[in-house]
Amino acid sequence: MRMKKRHKPPPKMLVPFSEPRLRFGYDQTLEDPKDGLLLFGPPEAPLGVQYGVIGTPEGIQQFESWCAKIQKTVPRDEKVGSSVTFPGFETVFRWPWPSAPRVKLEVHPDKLARTVKLSDPHQRVFDTVDLFANPIQRFVKEEDPRVSLWFVVIPEEVWKLCRPQSTLSRREGIQAEHHLSHARAIEILAAPDLFEETNLAAEKHLYENHFHNQLKAKLLACEAVTQIVRQTTIAPQEFLNARGKPLRKLQDDATIAWNLTTAIYYKAGAKPWTLSDIREGVCYIGLVFKRTNNPHDRNEACCGAQMFLHTGEGIVFKGAVGAWGSDKIGEFHLSQEKAADIVRRSIDSYITWHGKPPAEVFIHGRTRFSSTEIEGFRSAVPAGTKITGIQITRPNDLKLFSEGRRPILRGLALPMDDRNAFLWTLGYIPKLKTYPGREVPSPLKVRIVFGETKINQVLADILALTKINFNACLFGDGLPVTLRFADDIGEILTAIPDVGSKPLPFRHYI
């Protein structure tokens, strides 16, 4: 009897993807954002931008000194291989930086010194945030001068003591008038106290005790765009340890200037660059999930969506709050109706900008989509629009090592079949002659859950989307922008009980 010959599957081969190019001024394209800005400037400029600043008198003075500094050349650090000279804001962005803020709002140091030391962490963060948020809200509501961007300059104590894991010793702390443990606050929320002041103190426990997230969430209603800046970042030489060294180990001055000014330019209302090679007519949606602070329902979560276009425009939608959580940590699933609503709202926004539906919609998520969600997603797209669902994770269960000292190249992929692949968005970058990391780079695991798009096109798109993190001036990020800020946005959407549902540009959240 003749045995049938078994065919071995073809060996898996690494596939290189070209580094995506960016578009700058004069319709010129390059791979490196710093090169493109230096040679050609950004593709667009903000119109009539004015900025405001809020902080203590010391913080405002340090901020103004830093503003004067970035008007001039900030030399590269010779000891840092990746450092690049920053030649001044106007030279880089072809846009004059206003010499002084339009508005200065002072936070009284004594008031701040008290709120930041309150013994109840939820009251501590709530009251400290209000010292900054209330003046901005008041100005937006009552004053005529338009301010496009607010700089919130915070002392190091705010950073250290107004985060979830922050602690204060009894000796350092100031007893709150109505100090409550979190457990006691939850009891009062279920059965209100006779004293209204106690009930108000308990309600502050519904707010996330994280200064950054709570401030951003409180300012969404008045649509104030903010850039939070630590005093130790802009004035490191004024905060030294016993050995005369800066308290914090920071990036070099030139790199800080590049990163901060890129974020500032974007938040002022203009994109420092756009993608060149990605296809038009494509809409990318990143799903965001975060459990709420509801103490009575551990499965309650808020769903949101970040929509991005090839030009870099981004908008955030707050979806429905519901029992989307599951027994598996970090896994959430929508009902068919709510899944359809998220996609429908994104497409409606796309039509508002472009006058017609997108040709293709890609949904990026970290968890595997359920059959119910897939039905909802598909039901929401109009005729003629393709939709594909992509699961993107970084499981850390695959490492590739190369001979010599250089790690694997950024942009290499290992397709497993026509729907699954690994993609290295981190790795050695020939242009920079370095790998900007310390550990052996781990790839993203990419899976087409539904839809008929080819895996190579999905991988090329994801690599391109790692280059529009406008919160810094990076050659390339490790995650596509659709997922890079998902956790941060989820935290903001759930930081306060009554976050509005109005769609807002992405720059409000970062």
Side-chain angles (χ1 to χ4, degrees), residues 19-24 28-34 36 273-277 464 467-468 474-475:
E19 185 64 41
R21 297 175 72 81
L22 305 173
R23 190 172 301 280
F24 299 93
Q28 299 298 304
T29 63
L30 286 171
E31 296 176 358
D32 191 333
K34 291 188 179 77
W273 59 81
T274 62
L275 291 172
S276 170
D277 303 324
K467 297 185 77 80
I468 50 174
L474 303 173
F475 184 88

Side-chain angles (χ1 to χ4, degrees), residues 250-328:
L250 300 166
Q251 295 172 311
D252 62 282
D253 287 350
T255 300
I256 290 173
W258 276 108
N259 289 339
L260 258 180
T261 56
T262 298
I264 289 168
Y265 191 83
Y266 173 62
K267 291 181 180 183
K271 292 178 289 296
W273 59 81
T274 62
L275 291 172
S276 170
D277 303 324
I278 209 162
R279 296 159 299 136
E280 293 189 12
V282 180
C283 168
Y284 301 90
I285 301 172
L287 288 187
V288 176
F289 287 98
K290 175 67 171 63
R291 294 186 190 273
T292 67
N293 297 316
N294 184 350
H296 308 298
D297 187 350
R298 301 307 303 166
N299 277 331
E300 185 179 89
C302 175
C303 171
Q306 311 164 78
M307 185 186 76
F308 292 92
L309 308 182
H310 77 285
T311 51
E313 283 103 345
I315 194 164
V316 175
F317 303 87
K318 180 187 176 184
V321 173
W324 314 133
S326 67
D327 294 334
K328 189 174 181 180

Side-chain angles (χ1 to χ4, degrees), residues 99-112:
S99 58
R102 171 171 280 188
V103 182
K104 297 181 192 179
L105 301 177
E106 290 190 0
V107 174
H108 198 288
D110 293 342
K111 291 182 179 179
L112 183 59

Side-chain angles (χ1 to χ4, degrees), residues 16 402 406-413 424-430 441:
S402 60
R406 295 177 180 174
I408 191 168
L409 286 168
R410 166 179 155 89
L412 285 180
W424 277 264
T425 54
L426 299 173
Y428 182 79
I429 301 172

Side-chain angles (χ1 to χ4, degrees), residues 296-374:
H296 308 298
D297 187 350
R298 301 307 303 166
N299 277 331
E300 185 179 89
C302 175
C303 171
Q306 311 164 78
M307 185 186 76
F308 292 92
L309 308 182
H310 77 285
T311 51
E313 283 103 345
I315 194 164
V316 175
F317 303 87
K318 180 187 176 184
V321 173
W324 314 133
S326 67
D327 294 334
K328 189 174 181 180
I329 295 175
E331 188 163 308
F332 304 87
H333 294 291
L334 293 168
S335 66
Q336 181 175 339
E337 177 189 0
K338 298 306 179 184
D341 182 63
I342 283 284
V343 172
R344 190 176 296 114
R345 292 177 68 193
S346 299
I347 290 177
D348 287 346
S349 180
Y350 185 98
I351 293 172
T352 299
W353 280 346
H354 296 272
K356 60 181 179 180
E360 291 184 83
V361 174
F362 289 87
I363 301 178
H364 291 174
R366 287 178 171 155
T367 58
R368 185 170 179 170
F369 308 119
S370 68
S371 58
T372 300
E373 288 174 311
I374 294 172

